[in-house]
Amino acid sequence: MTHKPLVRIIAAGTVLAAALLSLGTAVLAVRAIEARTAGEVRAALVADDITWATVTPDGTQIHLSGTAPNEADRFRALSAAGRVMDGTLVLDEIEVTPSLPLDAPQFTVELLRNESGISVIGLIPREIGRAPVVAELEKIAKNLHVTEMLQTADHEVPPDWQAAVEFGMEALKRLERSKISITAESVAVTAVSDSAQEKAKVERELRRVAPEGLTVLLDISAPRPVIVPFTLRFRMDATGARFDACAAESRTAADRILAAARAAGMTARADCEVGLGAPAADWADAVVTGIAAVVELGGGTLTFSDADVSLVALPDTDARLFDTVAGALEANLPEVFALKAVLPPSESAQSQEDGAGPREFIATLSPEGLVQLRGRIPDTLSRTAAASYARDRFGREQVKDGLRLDPDLPTGWPLRVLAGLEALAQLRNGALVVTPRGLNLRGLSEVEDTQARVTRILTDRLGEDAALDIDIAYRAPPEPAETGPTPEQCVAQIEAIVAEQKIIFAPGSTRIEGAAVRVIDRIADVLRACPDARIEIGGHTDSQGREEMNLTLSQQRADAVLTALIARRVLTSNLTAKGYGETQPIADNDTEEGREANRRIAFRLLPPPDAAAPGQEDDAEDTTRADPDATAQGEPAAGDDNAADTPPEDGPSQGETPKASPTDESPEAPAPDTETETTDGQD
């Protein structure tokens, strides 16, 4: 019996040992399972190229920790572990790297304007909204359609965004065929203008009003003008080498011609007008050959007027050298060109021929438009013709005649005088001197291409071999004033100008010339200070001639005035031109005085767009913008106020309906608006 407790102790110890052994075996088994599961999870993560995750086994569970680059990588790690074991046993302890703040959206607007309307597309700040942008575009488009494809984003407005948009809108106003790309940092403008002058004017204006710090990219093209006659005049004498006029058919040809002139000694800045109308494809070859001939002579004048070429040597040039050079030039010129070579008499021979006292005609034009004629004229008829021509060009009250007769003047003197007066009329102020040896013109103009235009006029009138000395300086018109008079004050100033001098056209013509040039100059000075004044330039005729012809003529003349203002760098976005023909008489067309009063150019102040009554069209909507290329050449109009088919003055023929007089109570003869008028007294 004494052994039973011992047996029990041994049995209990055996059971305990077995239990401990089982527990140890179980622990080892669990650890083996944990290690195997963790290893499989790690292998799955490595297979998915996930190296940042840490796997920690915890019995039947797995702790997955680490810092994932983003939410997508975190999800990939959990998915990889879930493929190995039950996903509910995977404890997610993964952290995610904080994401960077979102980049601000790139706000941008694309504007497209053409004859059919305006389109806008882009992304703009929601704070600004689409409505203000569309409203501004509708003002610019007037009656044209606006296609809006804008989106908005709720983000802070960039600091310079509003200034960039306002500048883009300003560019859109001035360019009727354009594409404008706007960001907060830059505005890119791609457009087509009506002429090279308009292109240069718009570029200057846009650069002047561009906000500080804004990058402005301008790509404005212009059609090449037709140059008639196609003229080049190169001179070389003791004062140096220079161009009076230079035309070329391409930029490459112009560069070749300018390079030849610089090689000949030209140091002054010069350029060639590129345009259409060259008489031959090898124009540049002919000009370069001619310049080389002038250099070989030691000086002279080379003139091309279309295919006619003139080489005039300096006085006292050796006759044998002249014959050699002239012969070589004639042989080397391309076949289409015809050469006329002139060797003037020597200085001593010319002095003996001139005799005592200066034989010259002098005309001076002051900045105020006053003209003085003095010097010699061959006979009474020529004197009357010169004085009448000057009064027609410059105004009757502006001309003072101090001429005296000299019957021994050279042949062709009156023609030189009249051609010189026509050239002088193109200037703001200047002086003309005609001598037996040639014509000298000096002066100032506010239109850039005046020297070339004057050269074309004189060579066309006097021949390409005429001895011409032309020196016309260009002065840019003053910039528009930042602050100026009110629109009403502007119109009042124009009234005062046209009360002194009328805008006059030759019969059937649309060319601005003579006294009208100075009237336009003075009106331009006023309008530069009034860029916001909405003014209509109205053309009116009397009732003589066909109604359709009169309407066409009045529109062309109104366009000509607008084009002349454009050439003088006047802001024309608020100016319109409209022809009314004979529909708005202000006097009785049955008398000559009444018809003269009805033939006029009228300047009328238009109300602001917001002031128009609802549903009422703006007066300017039917107006036509001037085409500088269409009117600058001064082509005759389709009809004239005094056309040949004018009805008899003693009344209409049988079957005709008489036209209403201004006193008839008819809607065809409305009472005129308050307007500034200039009468065309030469129709």
Side-chain angles (χ1 to χ4, degrees), residues 98 392 507 584 631:
D392 175 49
Q584 294 188 4
T631 57

Side-chain angles (χ1 to χ4, degrees), residues 231-236 240-248 253-273 283 287-288 290-291 294 300-304 451-452 455 468-472:
T231 304
L232 179 142
R233 187 176 180 86
F234 175 77
R235 297 168 57 201
M236 180 177 171
R242 59 200 176 277
F243 283 108
D244 287 339
C246 181
D255 292 341
R256 285 190 60 203
I257 293 170
L258 293 171
R262 284 190 286 268
M266 183 182 72
T267 57
R269 180 179 176 273
D271 198 6
C272 294
E273 182 179 7
W283 169 268
V287 172
V288 171
I291 291 176
V294 174
T301 301
L302 174 72
T303 304
F304 283 77
Q451 175 140 331
T455 301
L468 306 177
D469 185 4
I470 305 170
D471 185 8
I472 299 173

Side-chain angles (χ1 to χ4, degrees), residues 5 17 44 131 153 186 194 215 246 281 303 309 338 375 430 452 465-466 483 486 633:
S186 66
D194 291 328
T215 300
C246 181
T303 304
V309 184
D465 60 337
T483 59
T486 65
Q633 301 298 327

Side-chain angles (χ1 to χ4, degrees), residues 537-555:
I537 304 167
H540 302 267
T541 68
D542 61 24
S543 62
Q544 293 187 313
R546 290 204 303 266
E547 185 174 349
E548 295 81 1
M549 287 186 173
N550 288 337
L551 183 62
T552 299
L553 179 62
S554 65
Q555 181 65 59

Side-chain angles (χ1 to χ4, degrees), residues 224-232 247-250 253-254 257 273-287 304-308 336-337:
R224 290 191 295 168
V226 178
I227 303 174
V228 180
F230 211 76
T231 304
L232 179 142
E249 74 275 21
S250 66
I257 293 170
E273 182 179 7
V274 177
L276 304 174
D282 42 13
W283 169 268
D285 294 335
V287 172
F304 283 77
S305 181
D306 291 331
D308 295 322
V336 70
F337 295 94

Side-chain angles (χ1 to χ4, degrees), residues 665-682:
E665 295 182 2
S666 168
E668 297 300 319
D673 294 330
T674 301
E675 56 188 17
T676 301
E677 299 167 355
T678 68
T679 304
D680 179 356
Q682 291 202 358

Side-chain angles (χ1 to χ4, degrees), residues 97-117:
T97 302
S99 60
L100 297 175
L102 294 176
D103 292 335
Q106 179 65 37
F107 291 121
T108 180
V109 169
E110 295 280 344
L111 300 171
L112 179 65
R113 182 180 182 185
N114 53 33
E115 293 80 1
S116 61

Side-chain angles (χ1 to χ4, degrees), residues 337-574:
F337 295 94
L339 175 67
K340 181 178 181 180
V342 178
L343 178 61
S346 65
E347 295 280 1
S348 57
Q350 185 67 48
S351 298
Q352 293 175 4
E353 181 183 329
D354 289 347
R359 293 197 292 170
E360 58 188 16
F361 168 90
I362 301 174
T364 58
L365 170 63
S366 73
E368 296 76 25
L370 299 177
V371 176
Q372 289 190 344
L373 307 179
R374 63 182 189 274
R376 305 191 186 191
I377 203 78
D379 51 51
T380 303
L381 181 61
S382 299
R383 176 177 181 172
T384 301
S388 298
Y389 188 83
R391 292 188 178 101
D392 175 49
R393 289 281 182 169
F394 302 99
R396 181 170 299 277
E397 303 301 325
Q398 306 295 103
V399 177
K400 303 297 181 184
D401 179 2
L403 298 173
R404 62 191 182 93
L405 302 182
D406 182 352
D408 297 326
L409 293 172
T411 302
W413 189 272
L415 180 60
R416 294 188 203 176
V417 168
L418 295 179
L421 289 174
E422 181 181 0
L424 183 65
Q426 312 303 315
L427 309 184
R428 184 66 183 263
N429 58 274
L432 165 71
V433 179
V434 177
T435 68
R437 297 183 54 192
L439 184 149
N440 179 291
L441 181 65
R442 298 282 188 275
L444 176 70
S445 173
E446 293 182 350
V447 180
E448 285 188 89
D449 65 343
T450 299
Q451 175 140 331
R453 181 155 43 90
V454 164
T455 301
R456 286 196 292 268
I457 289 173
L458 292 176
T459 54
D460 184 53
R461 304 293 187 271
L462 304 178
E464 65 277 0
D465 60 337
L468 306 177
D469 185 4
I470 305 170
D471 185 8
I472 299 173
Y474 166 69
R475 181 187 68 190
E479 295 290 347
E482 294 297 330
T483 59
T486 65
E488 291 77 10
Q489 291 172 330
C490 294
V491 173
Q493 292 179 36
I494 296 175
E495 287 178 354
I497 292 171
V498 298
E500 297 177 13
Q501 180 67 55
K502 304 168 184 176
I503 296 179
I504 298 174
F505 293 90
S509 172
T510 61
R511 185 188 292 274
I512 302 289
E513 56 188 9
V517 173
R518 267 149 301 289
V519 178
I520 296 296
D521 286 342
R522 296 177 65 190
I523 292 174
D525 290 340
V526 173
L527 291 176
R528 289 190 198 100
C530 309
D532 297 325
R534 299 182 71 244
I535 296 176
E536 178 191 87
I537 304 167
H540 302 267
T541 68
D542 61 24
S543 62
Q544 293 187 313
R546 290 204 303 266
E547 185 174 349
E548 295 81 1
M549 287 186 173
N550 288 337
L551 183 62
T552 299
L553 179 62
S554 65
Q555 181 65 59
Q556 290 175 338
R557 288 179 172 175
D559 286 343
V561 173
L562 181 57
T563 302
L565 293 172
I566 289 174
R568 287 157 176 79
R569 295 179 61 189
V570 173
L571 299 178
T572 57
S573 57
N574 286 324

